[in-house]
Amino acid sequence: MYETIKGDSCIIYRFLVQNSDRNINYILAPIDSNECIVIDPLDKDGIEEILKNENLFPQYIVNTHAHPDHIKYNSYFLKKYSCKLLAHNFCKDLFEFKFDNIFENDLIILNNLRIKVLHTPGHCPEHISLIIDNCLLCGDTVFNCGVGNTKFRGDVVMLYRTIFHKIKNLPDDILILPGHDYLYNNILFLESLYEDQGKIHKELIELKINFKQENLSPIKDLAFEKKHNPFFRVDELSFWDLVKNKNLFANEEIQYKFRLLRQVRDEW
Ligand SMILES: [Fe+2]
């Protein structure tokens, strides 16, 4: 079962991989074309089902980063469809696939589709995100109400810079399409963080009530993250007023608060 998102220049197909990490796989296809781009192939059968149903043929595989759950079926699709792999140059020491480098501000072009590349390091150094129409495919950089961890080659200060100096500057109505669906867990974390759970926003309570393990959470925009994502709000006094152990975070530097919040989330 998959969803479609219709943009101005492309259709985005996406589905929840039925694993404990709740990965989301994406396929991008220019409108009125049989060509497409596969992002971070993990669920081979789920991707093949879309390709077959929609009569699509991959021209590119794009890896947002080189973690195993984002590159697992690179070889399979590269071989079967004779397509090209695109990834950040930093991947050259990380995997054995031949690929073309993509960098900040590059455009990936397929028919009338233009995909802008952003370098979004932090979760890991090679991480890229993609802007297509009004959507941001952000891999493991931003999750709904959370951010990626920095346990595997990550750098939390770099992640802070990516969120505060790059992601937060994008238009509020850009749709966030993350590499995992962690919304439910991230709401539970937020509840654990707050002094008074009655202060959790109604919108989040409704999302929590309506959560179904087998389904994707609804798509949210950047305005939603600015309003609810604790990692986007570390510079807001009104956010810290709600937090249980606020004294723990009582340091003037925003990036220190961000780092500590990431640590608290890791230990949660
Ligand atoms: Fe990752």
Side-chain angles (χ1 to χ4, degrees):
M1 205 175 59
Y2 54 91
E3 290 180 356
T4 56
I5 305 155
K6 288 208 169 82
D8 290 337
S9 67
C10 83
I11 300 175
I12 301 176
Y13 301 91
R14 71 171 203 156
F15 65 95
L16 181 68
V17 178
Q18 298 297 326
N19 63 357
S20 57
D21 282 339
R22 300 183 62 80
N23 286 74
I24 309 173
N25 273 176
Y26 294 90
I27 296 174
L28 319 175
I31 284 172
D32 297 328
S33 166
N34 288 333
E35 299 184 330
C36 71
I37 299 173
V38 177
I39 313 291
D40 292 347
L42 173 63
D43 182 338
K44 174 171 77 70
D45 295 339
I47 292 168
E48 288 278 38
E49 186 194 332
I50 297 175
L51 298 178
K52 191 172 160 228
N53 286 355
E54 307 294 336
N55 193 30
L56 293 171
F57 299 90
Q59 307 299 305
Y60 296 109
I61 307 294
V62 180
N63 291 150
T64 58
H65 63 296
H67 284 162
D69 58 327
H70 294 257
I71 64 172
K72 185 170 180 190
Y73 281 101
N74 275 1
S75 299
Y76 172 84
F77 287 103
L78 291 171
K79 205 167 160 197
K80 178 163 180 185
Y81 295 96
S82 307
C83 46
K84 273 189 175 176
L85 178 64
L86 305 177
H88 193 277
N89 191 39
F90 290 162
C91 289
K92 70 178 186 301
D93 302 322
L94 300 169
F95 56 48
E96 77 281 12
F97 316 107
K98 274 193 187 153
F99 67 97
D100 287 357
N101 296 330
I102 41 176
F103 296 99
E104 172 87 0
N105 282 329
D106 274 354
L107 279 180
I108 301 169
I109 298 175
L110 181 64
N111 298 344
N112 57 349
L113 179 59
R114 302 281 179 278
I115 302 173
K116 189 177 165 185
V117 176
L118 291 184
H119 186 212
T120 51
H123 176 63
C124 50
E126 74 279 12
H127 203 295
I128 54 153
S129 298
L130 305 171
I131 296 179
I132 315 109
D133 296 335
N134 68 330
C135 297
L136 176 72
L137 265 106
C138 49
D140 293 1
T141 298
V142 180
F143 301 125
N144 295 127
C145 276
V147 293
N149 68 52
T150 54
K151 292 176 192 169
F152 308 100
R153 298 184 290 104
D155 179 331
V156 72
V157 173
M158 200 64 93
L159 184 61
Y160 161 78
R161 288 184 187 142
T162 288
I163 300 298
F164 271 76
H165 300 307
K166 208 168 269 187
I167 304 288
K168 274 184 108 173
N169 292 334
L170 296 171
D172 274 1
D173 61 355
I174 199 164
L175 301 178
I176 302 294
L177 301 178
H180 298 259
D181 179 1
Y182 289 148
L183 178 62
Y184 179 77
N185 255 359
N186 287 338
I187 295 173
L188 295 186
F189 171 66
L190 205 55
E191 285 182 341
S192 77
L193 203 62
Y194 278 18
E195 199 156 43
D196 175 1
Q197 298 210 354
K199 293 276 171 74
I200 294 283
H201 201 281
K202 229 170 55 187
E203 191 179 359
L204 298 183
I205 302 291
E206 273 169 27
L207 285 164
K208 192 181 135 187
I209 291 169
N210 293 326
F211 171 78
K212 287 201 176 63
Q213 187 71 31
E214 65 279 14
N215 292 347
L216 278 167
S217 299
I219 294 170
K220 295 293 170 191
D221 59 16
L222 186 61
F224 175 91
E225 299 311 321
K226 286 183 181 173
K227 191 171 169 188
H228 298 300
N229 191 321
F231 291 92
F232 282 58
R233 301 187 64 201
V234 290
D235 59 343
E236 282 177 46
L237 290 176
S238 57
F239 166 67
W240 291 110
D241 278 346
L242 301 169
V243 171
K244 198 160 36 188
N245 298 320
K246 52 176 89 50
N247 291 342
L248 241 185
F249 300 85
N251 184 297
E252 284 175 27
E253 279 189 61
I254 297 166
Q255 83 182 37
Y256 174 83
K257 292 179 201 285
F258 186 97
R259 194 170 62 195
L260 200 53
L261 186 61
R262 184 60 262 182
Q263 195 182 322
V264 171
R265 176 67 174 84
D266 288 341
E267 289 163 4
W268 174 66

